[in-house]
Amino acid sequence: DAKTTQPTSMDCAEGRAANLPCNHSTISGNEYVYWYRQIHSQGPQYIIHGLKNNETNEMASLIITEDRKSSTLILPHATLRDTAVYYCIVSATTDSWGKLQFGAGTQVVVTP
Amino acid sequence: GAVVSQHPSRVICKSGTSVKIECRSLDFQATTMFWYRQFPKKSLMLMATSNEGSKATYEQGVEKDKFLINHASLTLSTLTVTSAHPEDSSFYICSASGTTYEQYFGPGTRLTVT
C-alpha cells in the first residue's frame, strides 16, 4: 500500500508557481521522500528527493516539514509541459534495493 | 542524466504467443532493474525486482512462470510474457538503478494481445 496521500488533481496557471502537497505521516527515519512525474503514455521522470533538509534543483524545490510528516513540491514557474501526474513516494534506499510503490498521484493541469 | 531504453515501444501479438520486452541502461551500469505494469488511468504497479546475475523477486500476486525476467548483464534486462492473453494487454515500464539507488525509467512498451 502507498504510504503517501496526495490530492487527486489540481490546476495551475501557466507562469505561476505550483505547490503540490503530500502527506506521509507514517514515514520512517530511514525513508526518503521522492517525487516523480509521468506525462501521458511515457515512463515516469525523476524530479527530486530528500531526507529531511529542503532540496532544490533545476526542476523544482522540495520542502519537508520539520517532523517529516508532510512535504511540498514546488514548480517555480509552471509551463504547459508540466502537465502530468505527479507522484510522491517514500522509500528507504537500503530496503529492497530502493523499491518504489506508486500511489494514485496528483493530476496537475497547467492552463494558459 | 541516466538513460534507459525499452524495445519495442509497441507490440501487438496474438493470444497464446510469447512476447519479449528489452530494457537497457545506456550510459550506466544497472545493478538493479524493476518491472512495472500500468493499466489505463491507473498507477504503476511493481511486478518484480531483478539484480544482475540472480533470480528476480516477484511481488505478491505476480505469476513468475508467466512473466519471465532475465537480468543477464549490468545493462540489459528482459521481460517475457508467456502465452499472452488479452488481459495481459497493458503498458509495461522498466526502471534501472545503479549505485545511487535513484531509479531511471524507460519510455514504456505498449502490449496489445488480440
Side-chain angles (χ1 to χ4, degrees):
Chain A
D1 293 332
K3 301 178 183 178
T4 63
T5 304
Q6 299 177 251
T8 303
S9 63
M10 61 186 300
D11 294 335
C12 177
E14 187 179 20
R16 306 294 289 268
N19 296 313
L20 282 62
C22 179
N23 286 323
H24 31 80
S25 59
T26 61
I27 191 170
S28 301
N30 64 342
E31 287 182 317
Y32 287 72
V33 179
Y34 289 84
W35 283 85
Y36 284 80
R37 72 180 183 184
Q38 186 180 25
I39 296 169
H40 183 63
S41 293
Q42 297 183 23
Q45 177 189 21
Y46 167 81
I47 301 174
I48 199 167
H49 77 284
L51 184 62
K52 52 184 177 181
N53 296 325
N54 297 336
E55 302 288 344
T56 295
N57 62 21
E58 64 278 4
M59 288 183 69
S61 295
L62 173 60
I63 308 298
I64 302 174
T65 58
E66 195 167 336
D67 63 8
R68 302 209 323 125
K69 293 185 177 182
S70 66
S71 61
T72 300
L73 179 74
I74 301 172
L75 307 178
H77 305 285
T79 70
L80 299 179
R81 288 181 295 180
D82 291 324
T83 292
V85 178
Y86 287 75
Y87 297 99
C88 169
I89 303 166
V90 295
S91 176
T93 58
T94 56
D95 176 31
S96 302
W97 309 286
K99 280 202 301 187
L100 300 177
Q101 299 286 3
F102 285 77
T106 297
Q107 173 67 66
V108 172
V109 176
V110 181
T111 55
Chain B
V3 179
V4 176
S5 70
Q6 281 185 241
H7 178 79
S9 58
R10 290 176 178 271
V11 58
I12 300 173
C13 71
K14 292 188 176 180
S15 188
T17 62
S18 296
V19 174
K20 179 184 285 188
I21 302 170
E22 291 186 351
C23 176
R24 294 181 185 273
S25 58
L26 298 185
D27 51 2
F28 69 103
Q29 293 189 322
T31 52
T32 306
M33 286 184 166
F34 303 84
W35 286 95
Y36 298 80
R37 65 190 297 183
Q38 184 175 33
F39 293 107
K41 299 188 186 298
K42 299 293 185 182
S43 188
L44 284 79
M45 283 179 39
L46 180 64
M47 298 175 67
T49 304
S50 74
N51 289 294
E52 183 262 339
S54 59
K55 289 185 179 180
T57 302
Y58 290 81
E59 295 298 300
Q60 193 172 8
V62 178
E63 299 175 59
K64 62 180 181 180
D65 294 330
K66 181 164 186 64
F67 299 99
L68 302 179
I69 293 172
N70 184 278
H71 190 167
S73 78
L74 286 172
T75 59
L76 173 64
S77 176
T78 60
L79 168 68
T80 301
V81 183
T82 63
S83 186
H85 291 286
E87 57 266 29
D88 298 322
S89 297
S90 189
F91 192 48
Y92 291 88
I93 306 170
C94 74
S95 70
S97 68
T99 56
T100 62
Y101 295 105
E102 289 168 23
Q103 285 189 38
Y104 300 94
F105 287 79
T109 296
R110 177 79 57 194
L111 170 63
T112 303
V113 184
T114 60

